[in-house]
Amino acid sequence: MFDAKKLLDQFLGSQMPGSAGSIGQKGNDLMGMAKANPWKTGALAAVLLGTKTGRSLGSNALKIGGLAVIAGLGYQAYKNYKSGQPAEPTQSLPELLPPPKDSPFSTEPQAVSNDFALSLVRAMIAAAKADGHIDASERSRIMDKVHLSGLGAEAEAFIEAELAKPIDLDALVASAKTEEQRVEIYTASRLTIEPDTRTERGYLDMLAGRLGLPDALVDHIEATVASAKVSL
């Protein structure tokens, strides 16, 4: 089995040899790398997630990374929810850093299984498919571009299969074993799309309900992701 965490990083644009430091510090180097070889950075998100979603996420995720952005946003939203703060988007967020190592949202290697990292990728692809714009022709176009990214045959086959099969909410929900993981599944999905159609909004509402997330917690995730997209 391929390394799903690396796929998630490549998927979101943070996979860069020799990169280190805070997520925000990678931004300038990643933007330069994107210009030199876009298919190995955040442009992959633009290809996989389509037009509207890809343009937003592909450019923003270059600055904030892969697994850490999902966990970091989820951690921030969950912390605000637990502290009773109002769920209101702000003009910008402080520099986003990975969650504390001792947090249930930790992205340390021993804290995140390969299976759950795969679930986060599945959640993002499912959200991207929610409006029904990825038909057979679009899948073929996407896979032509994915092949150029150098992900490897096994990862390519995984992406192709996920794009082709129906959304399986039962499996997605079952993959989240803790409340924190359920928060991350929803955060990954919300980060992927802007719910400005009834179909997309309906999908996110259904996902939140199936995950059993309280409305107030969902509001905090929505506000945190919206603020991140403004500031990135």
Side-chain angles (χ1 to χ4, degrees), residues 167-186:
I167 296 172
D168 188 348
L169 271 186
D170 290 338
L172 196 57
V173 170
S175 71
K177 307 302 183 184
T178 66
E179 186 171 36
E180 290 82 8
Q181 288 186 340
R182 291 191 285 273
V183 167
E184 289 189 42
I185 290 287
Y186 186 87

Side-chain angles (χ1 to χ4, degrees), residues 108-128:
E108 291 297 295
Q110 68 276 13
V112 184
S113 70
N114 198 62
D115 285 345
F116 185 66
L118 275 181
S119 292
L120 292 175
V121 177
R122 287 190 175 103
M124 298 180 75
I125 294 176

Side-chain angles (χ1 to χ4, degrees), residues 73-85 105 217 220:
L73 290 172
Y75 169 76
Q76 186 65 46
Y78 194 73
K79 183 176 71 171
N80 291 344
Y81 164 70
K82 285 294 189 180
S83 67
Q85 295 185 31
F105 289 92
L217 177 53
H220 273 284

Side-chain angles (χ1 to χ4, degrees), residues 27-96:
N28 291 337
D29 290 339
L30 284 165
M31 292 301 286
M33 187 179 180
K35 293 177 182 178
N37 193 348
W39 300 117
K40 291 191 177 180
T41 55
L44 181 57
V47 171
L48 289 173
L49 304 181
T51 53
K52 175 183 61 180
T53 297
R55 282 195 298 268
S56 173
L57 182 60
S59 60
N60 290 340
L62 279 171
K63 304 176 185 178
I64 57 178
L67 178 61
V69 64
I70 297 171
L73 290 172
Y75 169 76
Q76 186 65 46
Y78 194 73
K79 183 176 71 171
N80 291 344
Y81 164 70
K82 285 294 189 180
S83 67
Q85 295 185 31
E88 298 176 354
T90 61
Q91 289 301 310
S92 64
L93 288 175
E95 183 179 16
L96 182 62

Side-chain angles (χ1 to χ4, degrees), residues 125-197:
I125 294 176
K129 295 193 298 183
D131 67 356
H133 86 275
I134 302 181
D135 57 15
S137 175
E138 181 74 358
R139 287 199 304 271
S140 177
R141 185 191 71 82
I142 289 171
M143 291 313 301
D144 285 345
K145 300 295 176 62
V146 167
H147 182 67
L148 297 176
S149 70
L151 289 176
E154 194 174 7
E156 285 185 34
F158 167 79
I159 292 170
E160 186 170 23
E162 289 300 315
L163 287 170
K165 69 184 184 182
I167 296 172
D168 188 348
L169 271 186
D170 290 338
L172 196 57
V173 170
S175 71
K177 307 302 183 184
T178 66
E179 186 171 36
E180 290 82 8
Q181 288 186 340
R182 291 191 285 273
V183 167
E184 289 189 42
I185 290 287
Y186 186 87
T187 300
S189 303
R190 175 60 182 86
L191 185 63
T192 303
I193 57 176
E194 284 297 330
D196 50 12
T197 69

